Amino acid sequence: MTTTAHDPGAPSADNPGRADIRARTLRRDRWWLAPLVNALGLMTFVVYATIRSFWGSAYYVADYHYLSPFYSPCFSASCVPGSSHFGTFLPEFPPWIPLALLSLPFLLGFRLTCYYYRKSYYRAFWMSPPACAVSEPHGKYTGETRFPLILQNAHRYFFYMAFLISLINTYDMVVAFQSDAPDGSARFGIGLGNVILLVNVIGLWLYTLSCHSCRHITGGRLKHFSRHPVRYKVWTGVSALNTRHMLFAWITIGTLILTDLYIMLVASGTISDLRIVN
Ligand code: FES
């Protein structure tokens, strides 16, 4: 009796449109490295941001008006004096409610539904698929056509809120250039905290403006760019930023942690702010 050798390039009996390849992947490079690094990076951010959001202290440096982005805007009567740049129209919160209750869900939603992060966590956690040309463990693929993943389509609405919160973060950053003089009056000052806040705000704007939804809002659904020269110009700029969206996504994870960590250390008295101009 003779047997026929299996031809890995032949069409699959189960799926005639695809080659019948039994191996999970034919890749020989370290394809697993990127999803692993992504998983570790995202986990670090989620754990840090969750802990700090519920920490409830060491988020504001009164002397230099440094406010952590994880606590901005602070609208509760529980916010430490000076940290509420837009008033305290919400009552006191119990310790298990984050003080930035109004902004955190939108920021979380903005990042969770971000096109880049989707790719990143679908690969890192869902393994759907873990990498190009590596088969996924799931039997079927329904995409983002049904609950809960259909909610990813809300990304553009999270973009509007994230844009507003970036404006608020910018205001916080500008206010922090005013520090308290020994006699209690306000004066201009620059410390390392200002530099860190500024870098963070620049990163947040680069990330927000390079968003795919921003690109669509500025130049999408136009039939004739020549009739909309201003929108075309803006769209061209946003498109240029958009090519680096992944980079800005990771940079802002780093700057958000760095900014909050620095403010926490100064606010708790662990270190002193390095003053450049008093
Ligand atoms: Fe990433 Fe919009 S696509 S923030």
Side-chain angles (χ1 to χ4, degrees):
M1 191 175 116
T2 57
T3 54
T4 313
H6 173 67
D7 176 5
S12 156
D14 302 334
N15 191 345
R18 307 186 77 169
D20 185 14
I21 299 173
R22 307 283 166 84
R24 189 172 172 216
T25 182
L26 300 179
R27 287 180 65 169
R28 293 176 187 276
D29 62 335
R30 290 187 293 171
W31 57 264
W32 44 267
L33 190 59
L36 177 66
V37 171
N38 283 350
L40 291 175
L42 292 174
M43 287 288 288
T44 304
F45 181 70
V46 169
V47 170
Y48 181 89
T50 305
I51 292 175
R52 276 298 288 156
S53 299
F54 287 93
W55 195 281
S57 65
Y59 57 86
Y60 182 64
V61 180
D63 287 349
Y64 310 125
H65 303 172
Y66 296 159
L67 177 61
S68 163
F70 290 138
Y71 287 83
S72 175
C74 211
F75 289 130
S76 163
S78 304
C79 301
V80 295
S83 64
S84 305
H85 295 151
F86 303 96
T88 53
F89 57 84
L90 295 177
E92 293 203 354
F93 287 171
W96 46 271
I97 295 186
L99 289 173
L101 176 71
L102 289 192
S103 59
L104 285 179
F106 294 108
L107 291 177
L108 188 67
F110 186 49
R111 299 244 167 192
L112 265 182
T113 59
C114 162
Y115 290 26
Y116 166 67
Y117 286 120
R118 268 142 82 171
K119 170 190 160 190
S120 180
Y121 67 77
Y122 284 170
R123 290 187 171 195
F125 298 112
W126 257 272
M127 296 196 284
S128 179
C132 291
V134 180
S135 65
E136 58 181 298
H138 311 285
K140 62 178 182 175
Y141 174 76
T142 55
E144 295 169 340
T145 55
R146 59 182 69 167
F147 186 81
L149 292 185
I150 198 167
L151 296 178
Q152 303 282 29
N153 292 303
H155 184 64
R156 77 193 73 168
Y157 303 108
F158 286 120
F159 166 80
Y160 295 127
M161 291 308 296
F163 190 93
L164 185 64
I165 294 166
S166 291
L167 285 174
I168 292 173
N169 289 148
T170 306
Y171 180 82
D172 296 339
M173 180 271 296
V174 172
V175 164
F177 281 104
Q178 226 180 26
S179 55
D180 289 340
D183 63 1
S185 61
R187 65 179 177 187
F188 177 76
I190 302 177
L192 180 56
N194 293 102
V195 177
I196 292 174
L197 280 165
L198 176 63
V199 169
N200 181 53
V201 163
I202 291 172
L204 290 179
W205 277 117
L206 289 173
Y207 174 66
T208 306
L209 295 178
S210 64
C211 167
H212 293 66
S213 289
C214 181
R215 188 165 176 264
H216 180 72
I217 289 162
T218 53
R221 292 201 281 177
L222 288 183
K223 286 203 170 71
H224 305 283
F225 274 137
S226 56
R227 290 190 198 153
H228 303 273
V230 175
R231 285 185 68 181
Y232 176 64
K233 191 101 185 135
V234 176
W235 175 82
T236 308
V238 170
S239 298
L241 289 178
N242 182 257
T243 60
R244 296 193 162 76
H245 191 58
M246 178 180 84
L247 177 68
F248 300 140
W250 282 108
I251 285 177
T252 47
I253 276 189
T255 59
L256 280 167
I257 291 180
L258 175 70
T259 307
D260 177 77
L261 186 63
Y262 184 81
I263 290 174
M264 179 180 72
L265 292 174
V266 175
S268 62
T270 310
I271 61 172
S272 303
D273 184 37
L274 179 65
R275 300 306 291 169
I276 301 165
V277 176
N278 253 327

